[in-house]
Amino acid sequence: MSTATRKSPLTDWTVIVPVVALIALILSWGRELPGFAVALVALCLAGAVLAAVHHAEVVAHRVGEPFGSLVLAVAVTVIEVALIVTLMADGGDKTASLARDTVFAAVMITCNGIVGLSLLVGALRNRVAVFNAEGSGAALATVATLAVLSLVLPTFTTSKPGPEFSTAQLTFAAVASLALYGLFIAVQTVRHRDYFLPVATGAAASGGTGATGGEGGGGGEDDGGGDGDHAEPPTVRATLISLGLLLVALVAVVGDAKSVSPAIEAGVAKAGLPNAVVGVIIALLVLAPETLAAVNAARRDRVQTSLNLGYGSAIASIGLTIPAIALASIWLSGPLLLGLGPIHMVLLALTVVVSALTIAPGRATLLQGGVHLVVLAAYLFLAVSP
């Protein structure tokens, strides 16, 4: 019965909810909302997140890995970039650090939150979460390089006062980010695609000592996938419909997040919290589809897919945001603060070191998942109490 259900990827709620969420976005855009309207928009936002995950999984089932995780990561990031540029265009000097805060929040949430939750779920299911160290290591190296070039160097350059790039430096960072992003996509999808495919659970987890992988790994399944790989892939028509509804749902997620952001900003101000907390909250909302999709993949013994989503989203967030902001800076007024402060640089360094030690063996236990989640908790706590 579950197979029959999977063969009909479009269900009523997954079609209706994105459309309703988009209508809520249109009705609420640019308006000051009362409390009950904020609650309704937030409810639509949550429904759109769940619908986005469903449609992303339909598309992923049709195109296979690593293209499936790439579709969701790139789609969310493109719309996230549009949101950042829109907010910066409307906010003036008070949004000078918005791009930095949002991108860094995305890096911490993906590299510690998504990765940590995925490892935790995978280890709870099979005692050891297994993945491909070559692909994940290449993705982590790309994240670390992009983060240092775009978020750390501006703090130390001297061409302009403060944590800013000069025009030439910003242009170089934008070109380098695009080049690295394009190179990573080429390696992930063409030249070394096998590095980013799910690992057969049984043999990898036991070091090749004859484990059977009977709980969804190996055993002749496609790419070592879980139960979802037994279902027949959706038709081209169903996939295209899901792709369209995925984009509608993601537009609704980001747009509804922007609609409720004034209420979030007011609540943050009333609580006396730093303004950067707003960026963290919005990043959490925008990255919710990737988080749920990654956890679902880990539950099906596809931890590599989860890591593809986490690191791929971090790479896309930096690799697409910095060039877009560099282009937008031509008409945006006010400073563009990209350099991180000392606390965030320490957390970034800790994240890179911990991630490297996690990925190197190609398998992880509950401990590694817990360590990543503690690093994320430290970031969130220090965002509230710097």
Side-chain angles (χ1 to χ4, degrees):
M1 289 193 299
S2 61
T3 302
T5 302
R6 293 177 189 274
K7 287 183 180 179
S8 302
L10 300 178
T11 57
D12 288 342
W13 76 269
T14 59
V15 175
I16 295 171
V17 168
V19 176
V20 171
L22 187 62
I23 292 172
L25 166 60
I26 294 170
L27 294 177
S28 63
W29 188 262
R31 300 183 181 180
E32 192 170 331
L33 303 178
F36 75 92
V38 171
L40 287 176
V41 172
L43 188 62
C44 291
L45 172 62
V49 167
L50 296 175
V53 173
H54 170 83
H55 292 300
E57 290 177 342
V58 172
V59 174
H61 192 193
R62 175 71 191 187
V63 302
E65 280 299 312
F67 298 99
S69 55
L70 181 63
V71 168
L72 181 58
V74 173
V76 168
T77 304
V78 167
I79 300 172
E80 178 188 349
V81 169
L83 174 61
I84 292 173
V85 173
T86 301
L87 291 174
M88 291 187 70
D90 295 340
D93 287 353
K94 70 177 183 179
T95 59
S97 64
L98 178 65
R100 176 196 66 192
D101 295 338
T102 305
V103 168
F104 185 66
V107 170
M108 296 301 290
I109 291 166
T110 53
C111 293
N112 290 308
I114 293 179
V115 170
L117 277 174
S118 301
L119 295 178
L120 199 65
V121 171
L124 281 172
R125 180 178 174 88
N126 289 316
R127 294 181 63 84
V128 176
V130 295
F131 47 87
N132 196 319
E134 288 91 343
S136 300
L140 175 62
T142 309
V143 173
T145 302
L146 287 171
V148 170
L149 289 178
S150 302
L151 301 177
V152 175
L153 287 184
T155 303
F156 299 100
T157 54
T158 57
S159 297
K160 293 188 73 172
E164 293 185 63
F165 273 145
S166 66
T167 301
Q169 290 166 343
L170 183 59
T171 302
F172 171 79
V175 172
S177 297
L178 272 180
L180 275 176
Y181 180 70
L183 182 60
F184 174 77
I185 295 301
V187 168
Q188 184 187 35
T189 59
V190 181
R191 192 168 182 86
H192 295 288
R193 181 172 175 244
D194 54 314
Y195 287 179
F196 299 89
L197 297 178
V199 176
T201 306
S206 63
T209 57
T212 62
E215 287 192 22
E221 290 179 346
D222 180 33
D223 297 333
D227 295 338
D229 290 320
H230 291 299
E232 184 179 327
T235 63
V236 173
R237 179 176 177 274
T239 303
L240 291 176
I241 292 173
S242 272
L243 181 60
L245 288 170
L246 169 63
L247 294 177
V248 170
L250 292 175
V251 169
V253 168
V254 179
D256 288 342
K258 184 181 186 300
S259 295
V260 300
S261 63
I264 296 173
E265 290 173 353
V268 167
K270 278 187 178 180
L273 300 175
N275 194 51
V277 173
V278 176
V280 175
I281 294 173
I282 292 177
L284 286 167
L285 292 173
V286 170
L287 288 169
E290 280 115 319
T291 304
L292 289 176
V295 171
N296 285 342
R299 287 177 55 243
R300 297 195 302 269
D301 295 332
R302 299 172 69 88
V303 175
Q304 183 61 50
T305 299
S306 303
L307 299 187
N308 291 346
L309 277 166
Y311 291 128
S313 296
I315 293 169
S317 182
I318 305 174
L320 297 178
T321 300
I322 299 303
I325 294 301
L327 188 62
S329 65
I330 296 172
W331 71 83
L332 289 176
S333 60
L336 178 60
L337 306 180
L338 289 176
L340 297 173
I343 292 176
H344 287 167
M345 279 192 280
V346 170
L347 287 173
L348 178 61
L350 179 61
T351 297
V352 172
V353 171
V354 168
S355 299
L357 294 174
T358 296
I359 287 170
R363 52 186 183 172
T365 65
L366 289 172
L367 177 60
Q368 282 93 339
V371 169
H372 281 282
L373 292 176
V374 167
V375 175
L376 176 65
Y379 164 69
L380 296 176
F381 175 77
L382 291 171
V384 173
S385 180

